[in-house]
Amino acid sequence: MSTEGLSIPGISMGSAEAGAGRIRRSGPPGLFTALRRGVFAALRRPFATTVCVEVAVVALVVLDVWLVIPPKAPPYSIYLSAASCLAVVLRRRFPFLAMLAAVPGFLAGWAQLASMITLGMLATRRQLTWQTWVGAALVFTCRFLQWPLDEFAQLSWREHFLDGIYGVLVAGMPIAIALLLGARAEIAAKLHELAKSRDRERRLYADAIRAEERARLAREMHDVVSHQITLIAMQAGALQAQAKEGQALETAQVIRRLSTRTLEELRSLVSVLRSGAEEDGPRPGIGELDHLIRTADVPVQLTVEQLPDTLPSQVSAAAYRTVQECLTNVHKHAPGATATIRIQAGSGALDIEVENERAREAGETLPSGGHGLTGLAERARLLGGSFETSDTKDGGFRVRAHYPLDR
């Protein structure tokens, strides 16, 4: 007996290629795995991510103060440093005020990192404005001066020069990083705008190509097809005038009526192609099936069940085109056969089934492009439905189409 596909709770069987009898036990994940998954799932939320970042930044600036503060530091320097650490929390909403609140803790305390972080956020939000320049000057002053001022006055010129260099680095580094981030965001926005511009250009180019193709099709249809149909209508009119009665007169009337209607639809379609409208021309609906069946020259048994009073125009047109194409195929490929048409609307969809018997007469071979059923399948797919064809047991042919009504 093959064990492939066998599943037992708590046990996973390996494949035959992995070795027979190889068993891997599976159980609940460990505590560390569950905790890691929970942390990652929480970090995917924007609010949780913001809270974690703020806690990490505050802990970092507090650790910076705690590592450098001397054991016998004045109480006011400790308070000012603590205020600078708390000012870091306000840097997103009030960057300039947060920077001003963090400066005293740097000048008379030990909160250097807090001042640099607030200055970096100020430069990120304001870029090179007067507020950024004021913040840079204050941070440079805090790094260059030493508190109390009497100790600053006792420093040598070398120490003043080194403090000035360090002041430039301390004040310039956050601004440089902020400008780099700003440039990166600006480049990303430019790239996004460029991508949108390229998409618009592609759409405009596609519209231009489509308009050109529409115009070409309209010219061909007007110059070739419309001309031929006009000649057919004229010849049918001449035949109708010559035939006084009988089958010839009826046939001439049918040919003239069909050619005239086809010419009207063709002209409407040419107008649509010329205008570039989204609609695909005149749409005969399901209400015109009676006229189509009477003029199809095919024996038809029609059954309609639960048809609503109104149908979407696209579904109604698709139903008409489906029956029209099926009757045309019966007339061409199965002359003399009876076509059975069943139309039913229910469960929010319109179902059409057309079935014909095998050919009973030897008909004339007519030209066929083989694109009619393909076009019906594409129409059904565009409307969210389905289209199926199959042979019957008695040698006939069956077509089923399903069109949703809620689209």
Side-chain angles (χ1 to χ4, degrees):
M1 180 181 68
S2 175
T3 59
E4 185 176 359
L6 182 61
S7 177
I8 303 176
I11 299 179
S12 299
M13 296 297 297
S15 61
E17 292 79 359
R22 184 178 178 182
I23 299 177
R24 183 178 65 256
R25 296 185 178 275
S26 61
L31 179 60
F32 177 76
T33 303
L35 181 61
R36 177 171 57 85
R37 292 177 180 175
V39 170
F40 285 156
L43 289 178
R44 293 190 184 100
R45 302 176 182 176
F47 178 76
T49 303
T50 303
V51 171
C52 292
V53 170
E54 294 298 324
V55 171
V57 171
V58 172
L60 185 62
V61 296
V62 170
L63 180 62
D64 175 66
V65 173
W66 179 71
L67 290 177
V68 299
I69 191 170
K72 296 181 180 181
Y76 69 87
S77 65
I78 299 177
Y79 298 147
L80 292 176
S81 300
S84 299
C85 295
L86 294 178
V88 173
V89 182
L90 304 176
R91 74 189 187 281
R92 296 182 183 271
R93 294 180 58 87
F94 310 101
F96 187 64
L97 294 179
M99 190 274 306
L100 293 179
V103 164
F106 186 17
L107 177 62
W110 315 96
Q112 173 178 330
L113 185 58
S115 299
M116 294 177 65
I117 291 177
T118 54
L119 177 61
M121 180 58 66
L122 176 63
T124 302
R125 296 293 178 85
R126 302 290 190 267
Q127 293 296 298
L128 292 179
T129 60
W130 67 271
Q131 296 176 341
T132 303
W133 289 114
V134 170
L138 292 176
V139 172
F140 171 80
T141 303
C142 293
R143 183 60 184 84
F144 180 72
L145 294 178
Q146 287 192 8
W147 192 267
L149 295 178
D150 54 352
E151 296 182 0
F152 173 73
Q154 297 176 3
L155 297 177
S156 63
W157 69 270
R158 289 187 177 88
E159 293 173 330
H160 287 307
F161 184 76
L162 290 177
D163 289 338
I165 294 177
Y166 289 135
V168 172
L169 293 177
V170 170
M173 186 183 302
I175 296 178
I177 296 175
L179 294 179
L180 181 61
L181 294 177
R184 180 178 179 274
E186 184 177 357
I187 292 175
K190 294 291 185 181
L191 291 176
H192 180 67
E193 183 65 26
L194 180 60
K196 292 174 60 178
S197 177
R198 289 180 176 176
D199 291 339
R200 289 193 297 267
E201 184 179 356
R202 292 192 189 98
R203 288 196 296 269
L204 291 176
Y205 180 74
D207 292 340
I209 296 297
R210 192 178 300 112
E212 183 179 356
E213 186 67 16
R214 282 174 176 266
R216 188 185 67 82
L217 291 176
R219 289 193 302 268
E220 295 294 332
M221 294 175 65
H222 179 271
D223 297 340
V224 179
V225 183
S226 178
H227 176 69
Q228 299 294 337
I229 295 178
T230 301
L231 292 179
I232 294 174
M234 294 175 60
Q235 294 295 330
L239 180 61
Q240 182 179 352
Q242 295 177 2
K244 301 301 183 181
E245 60 183 6
Q247 185 68 25
L249 177 61
E250 182 179 355
T251 302
Q253 292 175 349
V254 171
I255 294 175
R256 181 172 177 81
R257 183 171 60 253
L258 291 178
S259 58
T260 302
R261 181 177 179 182
T262 302
L263 186 61
E264 292 176 356
E265 293 185 359
L266 183 62
R267 288 173 178 173
S268 300
L269 185 57
V270 169
S271 300
V272 172
L273 291 174
R274 287 289 187 183
S275 64
E278 294 296 331
E279 296 293 332
D280 55 358
R283 288 181 176 176
I286 199 171
E288 303 181 30
L289 286 180
D290 292 338
H291 178 74
L292 174 65
I293 292 174
R294 286 196 302 267
T295 59
D297 197 19
V298 174
V300 175
Q301 296 179 0
L302 176 63
T303 303
V304 180
E305 299 178 2
Q306 301 177 357
L307 191 65
D309 297 334
T310 59
L311 287 174
S313 60
Q314 293 181 343
V315 174
S316 181
Y320 179 89
R321 295 302 184 190
T322 301
V323 176
Q324 182 186 41
E325 179 64 23
C326 291
L327 295 181
T328 301
N329 290 338
V330 172
H331 181 70
K332 290 195 300 184
H333 305 296
T338 301
T340 303
I341 303 174
R342 287 182 289 271
I343 302 176
Q344 181 179 3
S347 302
L350 180 68
D351 296 315
I352 300 175
E353 182 178 342
V354 181
E355 181 179 342
N356 64 274
E357 305 169 338
R358 69 168 60 191
R360 295 184 178 182
E361 302 175 2
E364 181 181 359
T365 302
L366 298 176
S368 177
H371 302 296
L373 297 180
T374 303
L376 293 179
E378 292 175 352
R379 185 189 295 267
R381 184 171 62 254
L382 290 175
L383 294 178
S386 60
F387 184 83
E388 299 178 357
T389 60
S390 61
D391 296 327
T392 60
K393 295 181 179 180
D394 58 354
F397 196 71
R398 181 186 297 111
V399 172
R400 289 192 179 98
H402 177 82
Y403 300 106
L405 300 178
D406 55 351
R407 290 174 63 89

